[in-house]
Amino acid sequence: MRYYEVEPREVYRRVVAEGWSQWNEVFEGGGGFGDFPNRGFLEGVLPGLGGAVLEYGCGTGPAACFMAGRGFRVDAVDLIPEAVELARGFAAELGVQVQFWVQDVCRWPAVVEKQYEVIVDSYCLQNIVLDEDRSALFRGVRDRMLPGGRYLISTALYDVDRVYGDDFRYDAVTGICYRGELPYRRHLTPSALRAELSGAGFEVLSFGGNNLACARA
């Protein structure tokens, strides 16, 4: 099991056991399926965009279902089979069409079968910690973006006021937070994330709070 599989498997086992609807309920409680963290960002940025959308790190599918309900043609992937199974059920209940499947986005298929006008990261990037894994993720995104497409990222960043518990260690040089000996999160400063995306071949068009809109450079 790779480092970025450990917590998601724990979380989605709990989501299933408790009868919850999404990841956010485990950590913050309350809310429901439609109350997902990047909803406000998507509501603001999606008008004016159109076409086919790929969301990765879709979890149980709240953002994917939201976008499908607004007329987008949505494909969505997640690493955890239990999350994808729940997502399919929620989409069926809502009567929206989303193609869900299981995919490790650090190990994209070599053959690119489809490209998209919009690719959405719903708080997945922070969990992809090591340089080689993030590079593989970004290559996969670029390969799947149509010219003129948009890459919409919601991710946790470095916060000077964030308190890491005794089991965690933050490396300010790399932005990596370790949980014991395992890489756990990558909390970069805004300037470091901009530089990383530029180096990966993206242009940052807007950056507000934890949300970025990018294009291929």
Side-chain angles (χ1 to χ4, degrees):
M1 185 184 301
R2 305 194 76 191
Y3 67 88
Y4 51 75
E5 297 180 55
V6 176
E7 184 182 46
R9 292 192 183 279
E10 295 172 355
V11 168
Y12 286 115
R13 278 196 293 266
R14 188 173 175 193
V15 169
V16 171
E18 299 290 344
W20 291 331
S21 64
Q22 58 154 315
W23 175 289
N24 211 37
E25 292 178 81
V26 176
F27 292 95
E28 298 183 16
F33 189 70
D35 183 24
F36 54 92
N38 57 336
R39 178 170 181 152
F41 173 54
L42 295 178
E43 287 177 332
V45 74
L46 287 175
L49 302 179
V53 176
L54 172 65
E55 182 195 13
Y56 65 83
C58 70
T60 58
C65 291
F66 168 84
M67 292 184 286
R70 281 150 181 78
F72 290 88
R73 302 187 304 276
V74 183
D75 294 341
V77 302
D78 198 273
L79 178 65
I80 307 302
E82 291 86 350
V84 170
E85 183 177 354
L86 286 171
R88 289 170 177 155
F90 288 128
E93 289 177 13
L94 292 169
V96 296
Q97 297 294 318
V98 181
Q99 179 66 44
F100 291 102
W101 71 91
V102 177
Q103 176 64 54
D104 182 342
V105 296
C106 298
R107 298 177 176 179
W108 295 102
V111 176
V112 177
E113 296 184 350
K114 185 174 179 180
Q115 291 183 304
Y116 299 84
E117 282 84 3
V118 182
I119 298 182
V120 176
D121 179 312
S122 294
Y123 286 93
C124 179
L125 181 59
Q126 66 208 39
N127 302 305
I128 308 301
V129 174
L130 301 182
D131 288 343
E132 59 268 30
D133 294 326
R134 291 169 73 92
S135 294
L137 168 62
F138 292 140
R139 283 196 302 272
V141 169
R142 278 185 53 84
D143 289 346
R144 287 159 178 79
M145 279 183 68
L146 286 165
R150 292 292 180 266
Y151 181 23
L152 308 179
I153 304 171
S154 299
T155 188
L157 298 167
Y158 173 72
D159 182 350
V160 67
D161 294 322
R162 182 182 285 112
V163 177
Y164 294 97
D166 293 340
D167 293 338
F168 298 89
R169 174 174 60 86
Y170 181 73
D171 181 347
V173 175
T174 62
I176 296 176
C177 172
Y178 294 87
R179 183 184 187 183
E181 297 302 316
L182 283 179
Y184 178 64
R185 293 282 191 272
R186 193 80 175 255
H187 291 152
L188 296 178
T189 63
S191 60
L193 181 55
R194 278 182 178 273
E196 181 184 37
L197 288 165
S198 176
F202 298 101
E203 177 187 1
V204 177
L205 303 177
S206 66
F207 196 159
N210 294 326
N211 304 301
L212 302 86
C214 306
R216 285 170 56 175

